[in-house]
Amino acid sequence: QAILPQTHSSLVLVPVSRSAAMAGSSGILLDTLVDQQISVVTNDGRLFVGVLRGFDQTANVVLSDCQERVFDTEKGVEQVVLGLYVIRGDNISVVGEVDEEIDSRIDLSNIRAAPLKPVVH
């Protein structure tokens, strides 16, 4: 069982679905996050953190300074540097705003957690 520090409570989670993006409702939400650090959880259970640089009507997102955080119950969290990265909107489960000050204080090597399971529709 994963125990995450209380500092993670500063995440603001915004579910993004393809149908909502096409209707334009998530576009308004994503627009407020442009040029801010966000986290993206994908349908296959991966977690990406980066600066939102843009998005389109199908909620495809472009992240700069992107890294994937790979969770493990024994080794801690591995951060894989990806740089500029595009995530397809139909693969996004959740978008969250990241508090950069709190995030910078978290020692990810001390966090032990099982990887997220894929989203089942």
Side-chain angles (χ1 to χ4, degrees), residues 8 11 19-20 23 25 29 56 59 63 68 79 84 105 114 118:
H8 281 324
L11 236 52
S19 59
S25 61
L29 297 171
D56 65 13
L63 302 177
E68 181 178 3
Q79 296 189 85
L84 189 64
R105 294 192 313 239

Side-chain angles (χ1 to χ4, degrees), residues 51 53 62-66 82-86:
V51 178
R53 292 300 179 194
V62 178
L63 302 177
S64 65
D65 303 318
C66 184
L82 302 171
L84 189 64
Y85 203 72
V86 177

